[in-house]
């Protein structure tokens, strides 16, 4: 948790997202600054897509490797067409069905868009967010906003304004960073990233919109295997990860861990109602939508408990609606250093 006295001295500034704050944030963007704002997936750290200085600052603030591309947020298909190449009828169908929403399309990058907007790639990822604060900010700024998740690189994505404040509190480089407040993010995990530059289109990062719901519109859709995501660099393993060692376990393994002496565990589960002390239970919703919405807050809470190990009970095997959650859990649980 952030120490409020440190927050007051330096670091980010939380503003309730009213018209005045949105205007102030849009103004900051026009001055090549970055701002944090809620989207329905996770909080974003945004800067102007056509503004190399702002893009550079995003990478610096996040500590993000400069070859890890950003997603450009736009008001809709027309704005997407201005910064990409290759928008076709299939994209229009997808946008009609799912925009605004948690679907990111990878297209060609238009010549006037800086290299840095997509980590030097010839492609550019675009998404139209649904969250009213994100939309108001896009309208007030009047241009596309590139925004990765508003956490330090490698850490857990923020789904509440407080998470952003916690991550950047006391960091001089985040002094004065505007954080627009909002409710908890309703989707709670990052968007589905769909590569439209290949045929058939390929899911590079799973999200709540699954191949099953995209196929009726596109015919074939390929799915990158969970462990092979180099085409989408930010999806490398050991990501979205708590500081505490984290294990993905079945019921039997869970029992074995809990009965070991000298060890305190957090158990993240949707099937148990209690664990005996000194262990700590974080109860999760049993449905994938509810689970996704609470996942990152649960991982952050698990870290704050300062236990020896976080045990996450496996859920949703063989169910496509759990693929994105399982993907994030596998990354949270993968070995340090990989
Ligand atoms: P984040 O902004 O943290 O949600 O991460 C954005 C992620 O979207 C990147 O880490 C990539 O996995 C993916 N992505 C963004 N742009 C591209 C692109 N041009 N090509 C492939 N994947 C991309
Ligand atoms: Mg991220």
């Amino acid at each position: 948790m952030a120490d409020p006295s440190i927050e007051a001295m330096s670091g980010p500034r939380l503003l309730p997202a009213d018209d005045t704050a949105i205007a102030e944030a849009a103004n900051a963007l026009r001055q090549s600054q970055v701002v944090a704002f809620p989207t329905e997936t996770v909080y974003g750290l945004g800067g102007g897509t056509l503004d190399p200085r702002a893009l550079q600052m995003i990478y610096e603030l996040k500590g993000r490797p400069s070859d890890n591309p950003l997603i450009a947020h736009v008001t809709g298909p027309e704005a997407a067409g201005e910064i990409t190449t290759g928008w076709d009828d299939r994209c229009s169908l997808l946008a009609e069905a799912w925009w605004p929403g948690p679907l990111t399309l990878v297209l060609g990058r238009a010549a006037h868009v800086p290299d840095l907007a997509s980590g030097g790639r010839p492609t550019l990822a675009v998404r139209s967010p649904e969250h009213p604060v994100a939309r108001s900010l896009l309208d007030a700024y009047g241009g596309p906003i590139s925004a990765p998740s508003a956490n330090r690189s490698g850490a857990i994505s923020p789904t509440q304004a407080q998470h952003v404040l916690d991550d950047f509190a006391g960091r001089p480089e985040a002094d004065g960073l505007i954080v627009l407040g909002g409710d908890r993010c309703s989707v709670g995990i990052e968007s589905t990233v769909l590569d439209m530059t290949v045929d058939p289109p390929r899911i590079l990062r799973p999200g709540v919109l699954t191949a099953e719901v995209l196929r009726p519109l596109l015919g074939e859709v390929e799915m990158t295997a969970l462990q092979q995501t180099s085409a989408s660099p930010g999806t490398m393993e050991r990501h979205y990860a708590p500081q505490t060692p984290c294990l993905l376990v079945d019921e039997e393994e869970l029992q074995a861990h809990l009965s070991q002496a000298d060890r305190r565990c957090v158990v993240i589960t949707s099937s148990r109602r209690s664990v005996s002390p000194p262990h700590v239970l974080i109860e999760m919703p049993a449905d994938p939508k509810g689970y996704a919405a609470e996942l990152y807050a649960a991982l952050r809470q698990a870290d704050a408990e300062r236990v020896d190990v976080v045990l996450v009970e496996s859920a949703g095997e063989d169910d496509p609606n759990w693929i994105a959650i399982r993907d994030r859990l596998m990354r949270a649980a993968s070995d340090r250093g990989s």
Side-chain angles (χ1 to χ4, degrees):
M1 280 284 141
D3 174 343
S5 61
I6 294 177
E7 229 168 81
M9 281 189 302
S10 64
R13 235 167 12 114
L14 178 64
L15 302 179
D18 54 18
D19 290 352
T20 312
I22 301 266
E24 192 183 337
N27 216 21
L29 291 174
R30 279 190 282 277
Q31 289 166 14
S32 297
Q33 293 172 19
V34 303
V35 301
F37 61 95
T39 81
E40 68 278 21
T41 59
V42 301
Y43 270 71
L45 189 66
T49 300
L50 303 177
D51 184 341
R53 268 173 60 204
L55 297 171
Q56 184 66 43
M57 197 185 291
I58 292 174
Y59 282 99
E60 280 170 20
L61 269 177
K62 269 191 71 90
R64 185 174 179 122
S66 60
D67 62 350
N68 188 348
L70 307 175
I71 295 173
H73 292 69
V74 292
T75 47
E78 199 183 321
E82 286 167 12
I83 52 173
T84 57
T85 59
W87 184 279
D88 61 15
D89 291 348
R90 300 170 313 164
C91 299
S92 298
L93 277 177
L94 288 167
E96 246 164 65
W98 301 111
W99 276 13
L103 177 65
T104 295
L105 303 179
V106 174
L107 291 153
R109 172 161 57 89
H112 67 287
V113 177
D115 277 6
L116 214 48
S118 65
R121 298 184 162 232
T123 51
L124 182 68
V126 282
R127 174 170 104 82
S128 187
E130 186 170 29
H131 197 290
V133 173
R135 297 201 71 77
S136 301
L137 185 64
L138 283 167
D139 286 337
Y141 176 57
I145 299 175
S146 291
S149 49
N151 54 285
R152 296 274 302 164
S153 185
I156 303 164
S157 300
T159 51
Q160 300 169 23
Q162 187 60 48
H163 296 162
V164 184
L165 298 178
D166 290 345
D167 282 7
F168 290 101
R171 300 193 84 94
E173 70 275 26
D175 228 353
L177 170 74
I178 294 175
V179 179
L180 293 174
D183 298 338
R184 290 161 178 241
C185 303
S186 59
V187 173
I189 57 172
E190 297 81 355
S191 58
T192 303
V193 176
L194 183 65
D195 188 352
M196 296 303 292
T197 69
V198 294
D199 194 19
R202 172 178 281 270
I203 292 178
L204 299 178
R205 175 174 75 185
V208 293
L209 293 178
T210 60
E212 283 66 26
V213 308
L214 299 173
R215 270 193 196 110
L217 290 183
L218 294 172
E220 242 178 305
V221 175
E222 287 189 344
M223 175 81 207
T224 302
L226 285 191
Q227 302 283 8
Q228 309 166 4
T229 41
S230 61
S232 204
T235 59
M236 72 245 186
E237 263 182 80
R238 184 78 200 154
H239 202 60
Y240 319 108
Q243 299 293 316
T244 317
C246 178
L247 297 171
L248 206 51
V249 293
D250 61 23
E251 175 59 32
E252 204 176 308
E253 291 163 332
L254 181 61
Q255 267 318 334
H257 280 284
L258 291 179
S259 55
Q260 277 183 38
D262 301 334
R263 191 181 219 219
R264 251 179 99 224
C265 308
V266 161
V267 180
I268 299 181
T269 171
S270 46
S271 67
R272 285 175 166 250
R273 295 284 168 270
S274 63
V275 287
S276 7
H279 306 305
V280 179
L281 181 86
I282 300 181
E283 206 180 321
M284 299 294 284
D287 67 298
K289 270 198 175 143
Y291 194 108
E294 290 185 23
L295 173 60
Y296 290 145
L299 290 175
R300 280 175 179 261
Q301 185 193 334
D303 247 355
E305 296 285 352
R306 306 249 175 262
V307 292
D308 300 296
V309 62
V310 178
L311 302 169
V312 186
E313 196 172 27
S314 295
E317 255 111 320
D318 304 324
D319 180 342
N321 293 311
W322 285 83
I323 286 178
I325 293 167
R326 291 174 59 77
D327 168 75
R328 303 312 191 273
L329 288 176
M330 279 162 70
R331 291 172 207 291
S334 68
D335 286 342
R336 249 151 242 272
S338 61

